[in-house]
Amino acid sequence: MTDNRNTILAVILSGIVLIAWQYFYNVPQMEKQRAQTQTQTELAKPTPQTTPGSTTPGSSTPGATPSATAPATPAAAAAAIVSRDAAIAANPRVKIETPSLIGSISLKGARIDDLSLVKFRDTVDPTSPPIVLYSPSNTASPYYAEFGWVPASGSAAKIPDQNTVWQQEGSGSLSPGHPVTLKYDNGDGLTFRRTIAIDDRYLFTLKDEVSNVGTAPVTLYPFALISRHGTPQVSGYYILHEGLIGYLGDEHLQEYGYKKIDEAKSVGFNVTDGWLGMTDKYWASALLPDTTARLQARFSSNLVGTVRTYQTDYLQDPQTIAIGGTASANARLFAGAKEASVVGINFPFAGLGGYNKELGLNHFDLLIDWGWFYFITKPMFLALDFFYRVVGNFGIAILLVTVLVKLLFFPLANKSYASMAKMKSVQPQLAALKERYPDDRQKQQQEMMEIYKKEKINPIAGCLPVALQIPVFFSLYKVLFVTIEMRHAPFYGWIKDLSAPDPTNLFTLFGLFHYDPTQLPLFGHYLALGIWPIIMGITMWFQMKLNPTPPDPTQQMIFAWMPLIFTFMLAGFPAGLVIYWAWNNTLSVLQQSFIMRKNGVKVELFDNIKATFAKKAIEKT
């Protein structure tokens, strides 16, 4: 009865992992491939693009002041797609040069629409192109930030828009410690100045000023927006949010995937102390207004021709500029990589400050998707980050964190293994019960429970070590998957990226044949069998062989096939996760062997291995 219970529990746990893998990895990968195929087909056709950011009022924000709304994408005349380099060269620009970012600000529209992340590359090859974050309008994937003023409804004031060409006061590029100032005179008494500063990471700080020497007061609303054309390719994983995001005062965290906002069209929030933007897996762009500013914030999706455009924006309270007076508005923009040390982590006694703390922002650390189980994923990352700073290699950090987790659960695991050892020691007594009461299962169970009670044995202790690994496994998977620190982080040998699967493959004889078996239909995803997954499978097989062969044939079959099933199942997971599992299995074998000897139980690992091969040899003869 106890053996069957353990078997059922083991099967259930294995099933949970199998289903989770299928749901979170296999299905999204298939969908992603379909989407990429569809996107490639669509990109082969000329697609009309439009330039958002016009001062033409957009659809009203729910609950917003009816006198003004933030700029939205108008149904303007279509323009042909050009290359990114051609679009950048088409307008005068101010260069951006920092240790983290390179790019430019377009003087036409004063947009920040050209940004690349110099510390991050497309591939593990350090000579590959840097990651492109922002691109101008009329390119294949426009993505930019825009700031400015909106006039009150009915006002005839001439306000700079996306077609306005600004002038730079002075010269030089935008760099840390060297802000730039842009100027525009509307010729009717209003002069606009924008001072833009940048730090050495990913933060832009903007100050907009308007002076009025005209003949009448003017009422203007400060605004900021982030606009993106075309539905971006996303990873497609349920455990990761990609799309529109914000922490909006009392509305708390708001997350809208692209499909969700397409259905909603537009959602608005009247809040104080908020931020909002768009997030990808590793990169993000967010508007960070003053924490005391009252915002009419909005997420929106619009279809312009055949192109879907997405926008996050906010409008602040109006300012009336008297004759001879001035007005000013402050804004901030985060545009870059979601590095935990830069964004920040809120966690008791061990968090990282970043912009979240420096700027006093409202839960800006949630820009990184730590998930519902953040109380596990955050400390897991902090531990990995700590050891990485000590040893300089995230792979070694994973091994050290595994040891730390083992030490943390050491007392509980010891009791479990001790109980398992005692259970093995009473196997002769249990076998005698079956002989004594061959046809009375109820009596067998009663006597068995008496033996367990007398020997203080927990009958489900054998499944406890596996159960303890599940939350650690998934928290490490989450950390490897969502944190940019793990992206392209090498281990040793052939592992150049711990966040990607082992690049070797048994079915190509580890590179002897040049083809990709994972692209085969139906079962191709199960053929990503590299060296580390094989090592992991062997260590799991050793762990299974540490226990005596179960008497029940069903159990024998399950335990015989489980290492092979897990080997194929985990082969497509990040290499760092597979290395963790292999190392954890090895430590478990050593720990269990020690406790068995301590309890006077024979360690049958090598005897069981010999018996397995001897049995196979007999079967062949």
Side-chain angles (χ1 to χ4, degrees):
M1 184 69 179
T2 301
D3 290 342
N4 289 334
R5 186 182 304 158
N6 288 345
T7 301
I8 291 170
L9 184 56
V11 170
I12 290 173
L13 290 173
S14 302
I16 290 173
V17 176
L18 280 168
I19 292 170
W21 179 82
Q22 181 73 12
Y23 184 75
F24 293 135
Y25 183 82
N26 196 14
V27 173
Q29 284 283 50
M30 294 172 65
E31 293 297 329
K32 185 178 179 182
Q33 286 181 357
R34 291 194 195 101
Q36 287 174 342
T37 302
Q38 182 179 357
T39 301
Q40 289 170 0
T41 302
E42 292 176 352
L43 288 177
K45 305 175 183 178
T47 306
Q49 295 285 347
T50 60
T51 304
S54 167
T55 53
T56 303
S59 56
S60 297
T61 304
T65 304
S67 59
T69 57
T73 304
I81 292 179
V82 298
S83 70
R84 189 171 183 275
D85 289 342
I88 292 171
N91 300 312
R93 292 180 171 271
V94 176
K95 286 187 177 181
I96 299 172
E97 296 176 320
T98 81
S100 303
L101 297 171
I102 58 171
S104 61
I105 302 168
S106 174
L107 290 180
K108 183 179 179 179
R111 285 177 176 170
I112 302 173
D113 63 356
D114 168 27
L115 283 180
S116 296
L117 312 181
V118 293
K119 292 183 178 179
F120 299 94
R121 302 285 166 169
D122 281 337
T123 68
V124 294
D125 184 355
T127 62
S128 63
I131 292 295
V132 173
L133 183 64
Y134 280 0
S135 291
S137 291
N138 303 332
T139 59
S141 302
Y143 187 14
Y144 52 82
E146 186 174 327
F147 304 83
W149 303 85
V150 175
S153 180
S155 172
K158 185 180 178 182
I159 305 299
D161 59 21
Q162 83 277 6
N163 295 313
T164 301
V165 178
W166 295 60
Q167 300 297 320
Q168 180 181 2
E169 292 188 336
S171 61
S173 60
L174 174 62
S175 59
H178 296 87
V180 298
T181 300
L182 309 182
K183 177 183 176 182
Y184 169 69
D185 189 333
N186 76 346
D188 291 331
L190 294 179
T191 301
F192 298 83
R193 276 187 174 83
R194 176 171 302 156
T195 302
I196 307 173
I198 193 170
D199 67 2
D200 58 356
R201 295 173 295 180
Y202 311 112
L203 184 68
F204 293 82
T205 303
L206 300 94
K207 183 176 183 180
D208 271 302
E209 298 175 290
V210 183
S211 60
N212 182 10
V213 294
T215 58
V218 178
T219 299
L220 302 177
Y221 295 76
F223 81 87
L225 66 83
I226 295 170
S227 182
R228 194 168 196 174
H229 296 212
T231 304
Q233 287 295 321
V234 298
S235 301
Y237 291 84
Y238 178 74
I239 63 170
L240 174 69
H241 171 69
E242 294 180 85
L244 286 67
I245 187 173
Y247 200 96
L248 297 164
D250 295 336
E251 299 289 341
H252 303 295
L253 182 67
Q254 298 291 325
E255 295 179 322
Y256 279 76
Y258 295 107
K259 183 178 179 180
K260 183 178 178 181
I261 194 61
D262 286 344
E263 295 170 352
K265 305 299 182 187
S266 180
V267 290
F269 313 90
N270 291 326
V271 297
T272 301
D273 194 9
W275 57 268
L276 64 162
M278 299 184 192
T279 180
D280 298 323
K281 181 177 179 180
Y282 294 124
W283 336 107
S285 179
L287 303 170
L288 313 177
D290 288 342
T291 56
T292 58
R294 293 197 303 172
L295 311 174
Q296 296 173 31
R298 179 176 60 178
F299 296 163
S300 61
S301 168
N302 295 284
L303 189 62
V304 181
T306 60
V307 180
R308 179 66 64 176
T309 63
Y310 301 91
Q311 186 165 301
T312 61
D313 59 61
Y314 69 77
L315 202 66
Q316 293 186 7
D317 288 342
Q319 299 185 37
T320 299
I321 312 168
I323 300 172
T326 60
S328 64
N330 298 317
R332 291 178 298 224
L333 171 69
F334 171 89
K338 297 193 295 186
E339 299 176 67
S341 61
V342 175
V343 173
I345 297 181
N346 278 345
F347 199 77
F349 308 113
L352 301 175
Y355 291 139
N356 187 64
K357 183 177 180 181
E358 292 172 18
L359 305 178
L361 300 174
N362 195 353
H363 292 281
F364 190 54
D365 65 316
L366 297 183
L367 188 66
I368 302 173
D369 189 357
W370 298 108
W372 292 346
F373 300 101
Y374 61 89
F375 50 87
I376 301 177
T377 54
K378 283 186 177 182
M380 174 64 75
F381 171 80
L382 290 169
L384 287 170
D385 186 62
F386 171 78
F387 284 116
Y388 169 73
R389 295 175 188 279
V390 174
V391 299
N393 184 288
F394 269 114
I396 299 298
I398 289 173
L399 302 184
L400 293 174
V401 168
T402 308
V403 175
L404 184 64
V405 171
K406 277 289 184 184
L407 292 174
L408 186 64
F409 291 112
F410 190 79
L412 195 58
N414 268 10
K415 289 182 180 180
S416 172
Y417 288 135
S419 184
M420 290 171 62
K422 290 180 181 179
M423 189 178 292
K424 292 171 189 172
S425 68
V426 299
Q427 289 298 314
Q429 299 179 52
L430 299 181
L433 287 178
K434 294 180 181 179
E435 295 178 1
R436 190 180 309 166
Y437 309 105
D439 301 320
D440 192 346
R441 286 190 147 309
Q442 185 175 359
K443 188 64 176 177
Q444 284 183 27
Q445 185 176 355
Q446 289 176 351
E447 294 294 328
M448 187 184 303
M449 296 309 295
E450 285 297 323
I451 292 174
Y452 287 161
K453 185 177 181 180
K454 179 182 177 182
E455 299 294 335
K456 299 180 179 180
I457 294 174
N458 182 356
I460 63 171
C463 293
L464 185 59
V466 177
L468 289 175
Q469 288 185 56
I470 299 302
V472 177
F473 176 88
F474 280 112
S475 65
L476 182 58
Y477 173 58
K478 178 81 171 179
V479 168
L480 284 167
F481 186 72
V482 307
T483 58
I484 194 171
E485 286 78 2
M486 302 297 168
R487 180 182 184 268
H488 296 172
F491 186 45
Y492 292 105
W494 62 95
I495 301 298
K496 306 299 183 183
D497 186 356
L498 288 166
S499 67
D502 188 324
T504 60
N505 196 305
L506 173 66
F507 299 102
T508 64
L509 294 184
F510 307 110
L512 183 62
F513 301 111
H514 298 287
Y515 72 98
D516 187 1
T518 63
Q519 298 302 313
L520 294 175
L522 298 179
F523 58 87
H525 292 291
Y526 298 95
L527 300 181
L529 191 60
I531 296 174
W532 267 108
I534 293 173
I535 294 173
M536 185 278 303
I538 293 171
T539 61
M540 190 172 187
W541 186 67
F542 279 173
Q543 192 173 14
M544 293 295 179
K545 289 300 177 181
L546 189 60
N547 304 318
T549 303
D552 183 70
T554 302
Q555 284 186 337
Q556 290 182 25
M557 181 184 68
I558 291 174
F559 284 111
W561 284 97
M562 191 176 292
L564 186 63
I565 292 172
F566 268 71
T567 298
F568 279 92
M569 183 182 69
L570 296 181
F573 272 64
L577 198 65
V578 179
I579 292 170
Y580 154 77
W581 196 275
W583 177 235
N584 184 75
N585 289 342
T586 303
L587 294 178
S588 296
V589 169
L590 295 174
Q591 184 180 6
Q592 188 174 352
S593 300
F594 172 78
I595 294 172
M596 288 171 66
R597 288 194 181 94
K598 184 178 178 181
N599 285 271
V601 178
K602 182 181 178 183
V603 178
E604 301 175 325
L605 173 60
F606 296 106
D607 292 339
N608 288 334
I609 292 174
K610 290 178 182 178
T612 298
F613 287 108
K615 182 179 178 181
K616 290 183 178 179
I618 293 173
E619 289 175 351
K620 288 182 179 179
T621 57

